[in-house]
């Protein structure tokens, strides 16, 4: 029995007896690390005196990682787990509460834990800029479906989107532009600090990306000495790729990399920093490998482990690095070889989880270079079988991606995320044996009232084949 939950829990047992009814007297008992978030999510006051007759109680338990248990009876709801586990249990409770028949959450016990440690979403804020209010809404949606990594693509040809204390000219000269002349913008140091704190309260790590050595026209425009001519490039607001590059042989390059990698590392408290590496069409292989290895070494020196897009698998990456597979049209052999050397792999295969792909032919938003990606395409695949011959233990996670060449508004953004992001979330959280398209379809359709109540734009027509 699923009770229409997404993602599907590991074990769910309904029990006889009355369920729990939320009333104006229901109080929350919770440890400090999660109490404020839980009270806001559930709309409950804290039980300071311990005399409430009906309570939602969160208790730090021995469950590892993000595992949790959720027990419901007539007078108490109990969630047990680590702080991260309590947050995941709250997401399940929130879904149960939205659909509580006659106001009652049914008596039950859930034991749940994630399949993959990393369950992410990448948002491109460069091609079109989305600021803190929209990104907070993205974080709330991620938390609702137990995703735990927000990857922000912060630099590209069209703009530079984070404040670099060492290089203020980057945002002064290159933050105001976006695709087709749209308004730009950037995240200040305070913005990123607030965003990472907001995400952390919801069990989500923010990973920033500086795309290197290609996708760098914004940097080449703001810092002339990064060009062999010493002359700044022109602003670029198109959508072509592969034409720009940094060059290690220039004296200014290493200092620039040290500064911007160090600045972003200081702004994002998690253990990883993404250094890009994709679509570098103007470099020979040896020069590319040298650059990726140099950028990875600087990332380690800044206290972070590097993540690179799939092309970077050809480099000798440091221990703890991760490679992110994305291009479903390229040979995965270098990524498989990196996995055999002990490098962890994040799966973001475009034909399944690139949520900027059109839902179907003729769709008004999105691209289709990887084909169209319907809801079933996002759901009906097994990450552990995606790379034949690769030990499933090398797959550290799954990450959806939303590039924004054609995404102009918040409505566009959420319409492309939903309903497909919920499908990806179940792929990443639930065991393969617990996943089945026929049972997922009605559970996904049952999410629509939550999206409507929360004001999330979504493509209702995409639910029609699964409703």
């Amino acid at each position: 029995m699923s009770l229409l939950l997404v993602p599907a829990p590991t074990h769910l047992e309904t029990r006889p007896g009355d369920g729990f009814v939320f009333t104006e007297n229901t109080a929350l008992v919770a440890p400090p690390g999660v109490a404020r978030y839980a009270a806001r999510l559930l709309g409950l006051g804290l039980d300071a005196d311990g005399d409430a007759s009906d309570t939602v109680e969160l208790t730090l338990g021995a469950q590892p990682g993000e595992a949790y248990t959720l027990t419901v009876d007539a007078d108490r709801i109990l969630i047990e787990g680590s702080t991260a586990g309590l947050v995941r249990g709250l997401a399940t409770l929130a879904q149960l509460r939205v659909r509580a028949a006659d106001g009652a959450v049914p008596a039950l016990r859930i034991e749940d834990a994630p399949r993959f440690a990393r369950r992410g979403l990448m948002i491109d804020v460069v091609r079109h800029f989305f600021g803190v209010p929209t990104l907070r809404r993205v974080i709330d949606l991620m938390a609702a479906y137990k995703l735990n990594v927000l990857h922000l693509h912060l630099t590209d040809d069209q703009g530079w989107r984070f404040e670099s204390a060492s290089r203020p000219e980057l945002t002064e000269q290159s933050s105001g532009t976006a695709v087709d002349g749209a308004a730009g913008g950037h995240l200040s140091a305070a913005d990123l600090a607030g965003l990472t704190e907001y995400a952390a309260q919801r069990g989500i790590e923010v990973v920033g990306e500086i795309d290197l050595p290609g996708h760098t026209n914004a940097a080449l425009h703001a810092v002339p000495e990064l060009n062999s001519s010493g002359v700044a490039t022109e602003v670029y607001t198109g959508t072509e790729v592969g034409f720009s590059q940094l060059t290690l042989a220039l004296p200014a390059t290493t200092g620039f990399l040290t500064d911007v990698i160090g600045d972003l590392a200081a702004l994002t408290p998690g253990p990883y920093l993404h250094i890009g590496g994709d679509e570098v069409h103007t470099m020979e292989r040896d020069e590319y490998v040298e650059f990726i290895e140099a950028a990875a070494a600087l990332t380690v020196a800044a206290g972070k482990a590097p993540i690179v897009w799939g092309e970077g698998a050809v480099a000798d990456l440091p221990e703890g690095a991760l490679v992110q597979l994305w291009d479903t049209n390229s040979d995965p052999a270098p990524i498989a070889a990196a996995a055999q050397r002990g490098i962890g792999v994040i799966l973001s295969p475009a034909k399944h989880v690139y949520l900027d792909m059109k839902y179907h032919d003729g769709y008004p938003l999105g691209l289709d270079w990887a084909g169209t990606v319907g809801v079933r395409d996002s759901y009906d695949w097994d990450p552990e079988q995606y790379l034949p011959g690769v030990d499933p233990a090398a797959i550290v996670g799954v990450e959806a991606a939303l590039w924004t060449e054609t995404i102009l508004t918040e409505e566009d953004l959420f319409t492309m995320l939903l309903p497909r992001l919920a499908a990806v979330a179940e792929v990443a959280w639930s065991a393969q044996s617990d996943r089945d398209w026929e049972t997922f379809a009605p559970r996904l359709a049952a999410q629509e009232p939550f999206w409507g109540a929360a004001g999330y734009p979504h493509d209702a027509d995409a639910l029609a084949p699964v409703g």
Side-chain angles (χ1 to χ4, degrees):
M1 179 174 291
S2 70
L3 293 178
L4 301 178
L5 293 170
V6 175
T10 305
H11 175 76
L12 186 157
E13 172 193 352
T14 56
R15 295 179 167 184
D18 294 335
F20 183 94
V21 178
F22 283 84
T23 72
E24 62 181 15
N25 297 318
T26 301
L28 175 70
V29 179
V34 73
R36 208 164 107 189
Y37 171 60
R40 188 183 306 115
L41 181 69
L42 300 175
L44 299 178
L46 291 169
D47 181 12
D49 303 319
D51 57 1
S53 59
D54 57 321
T55 60
V56 176
E57 182 176 340
L58 278 58
T59 301
L60 292 173
Q63 292 84 348
E66 295 171 282
Y68 68 92
T69 60
L70 169 61
T71 307
V72 179
D73 58 34
D75 58 6
R76 185 176 73 154
I77 294 175
L78 175 64
I79 305 175
E80 299 173 281
S82 68
T83 298
L86 295 178
V87 171
R88 304 303 168 227
L90 282 166
T92 299
L93 177 57
Q95 284 194 39
L96 290 169
R97 188 180 180 188
V98 165
R99 285 188 302 279
D102 300 323
V105 177
L108 56 76
R109 180 175 173 83
I110 290 174
E111 298 176 4
D112 202 7
R115 181 183 187 186
F116 293 106
R118 296 185 69 81
R119 305 174 309 282
L121 170 64
M122 190 285 302
I123 299 290
D124 166 20
V125 297
V126 180
R127 274 48 176 269
H128 286 98
F129 179 66
F130 295 91
V132 170
T134 298
L135 293 175
R136 283 190 170 207
R137 297 197 73 205
V138 169
I139 288 167
D140 287 339
L141 180 64
M142 292 174 65
Y145 292 107
K146 302 182 174 70
L147 298 171
N148 67 356
V149 177
L150 174 61
H151 166 186
L152 294 177
H153 182 78
L154 294 168
T155 73
D156 213 296
D157 292 313
Q158 299 83 0
W160 189 277
R161 303 294 187 219
F162 77 92
E163 179 183 0
S164 173
S166 302
R167 300 282 179 154
E169 66 269 29
L170 289 164
T171 47
E172 290 170 0
Q173 300 295 323
S174 288
S175 69
T177 49
V179 165
D180 292 338
H186 73 276
L187 298 172
S188 69
D191 288 337
L192 264 178
L195 200 65
T196 56
E197 181 181 1
Y198 188 86
Q201 291 172 358
R202 290 148 181 79
I204 294 170
E205 170 194 340
V206 176
V207 175
E209 178 188 349
I210 303 172
D211 205 351
L212 303 165
H215 290 272
T216 48
N217 191 75
L220 297 168
H221 172 72
V223 187
E225 58 266 32
L226 295 176
N227 299 279
S228 56
S229 65
V231 177
T233 61
E234 295 295 322
V235 166
Y236 183 73
T237 60
T239 59
E240 295 300 318
V241 299
F243 62 88
S244 60
Q245 72 166 74
L246 298 180
T247 304
L248 275 182
L250 290 177
T253 302
T254 298
F256 173 80
L257 294 175
T258 301
D259 286 345
V260 296
I261 288 172
D263 287 343
L264 186 56
L267 291 170
T268 50
Y272 291 97
L273 192 150
H274 206 302
I275 55 173
D278 61 318
E279 297 177 319
V280 185
H281 299 162
T282 56
M283 275 186 173
E284 296 297 327
R285 177 188 168 108
D286 288 349
E287 183 184 4
Y288 172 78
V289 168
E290 180 186 14
F291 194 105
I292 292 296
E293 291 176 356
L298 290 171
T299 304
V300 172
K304 304 289 188 184
I307 305 175
V308 295
W309 293 111
E311 294 93 320
V314 298
D316 184 11
L317 297 170
E319 183 179 356
L322 301 175
V323 170
Q324 187 166 359
L325 180 151
W326 68 275
D327 186 358
T328 48
N329 297 323
S330 66
D331 182 6
I335 297 173
Q340 292 170 359
R341 299 195 302 270
I343 299 298
V345 178
I346 302 168
L347 290 181
S348 298
K351 66 182 180 180
H352 293 297
V353 303
Y354 262 39
L355 305 186
D356 56 303
M357 295 296 107
K358 294 175 180 290
Y359 279 93
H360 54 75
D361 290 337
Y363 198 75
L365 297 172
L367 304 172
D368 59 6
W369 61 263
T372 59
V373 176
V375 178
R376 187 163 186 169
D377 298 309
S378 290
Y379 183 81
D380 217 1
W381 64 292
D382 181 356
E384 291 187 354
Q385 300 300 314
Y386 189 82
L387 284 173
V390 171
D391 185 348
I395 309 300
V396 301
V398 173
E399 182 174 291
L402 182 55
W403 302 94
T404 59
E405 290 95 333
T406 69
I407 311 304
L408 280 69
T409 67
E410 184 176 291
E411 181 176 1
D412 292 344
L413 187 145
F414 283 105
T415 298
M416 296 301 274
L417 289 177
L418 291 172
R420 293 180 295 186
L421 186 64
V424 178
E426 179 153 309
V427 171
W429 178 277
S430 303
Q432 188 68 22
S433 59
D434 294 331
R435 297 203 302 111
D436 173 79
W437 174 252
E438 299 304 323
T439 60
F440 175 70
R443 289 187 287 112
L444 180 63
Q447 302 300 304
E448 192 171 19
F450 160 67
W451 304 334
Y456 285 119
H458 57 280
D459 191 314
D461 291 338
L463 290 169
V466 301

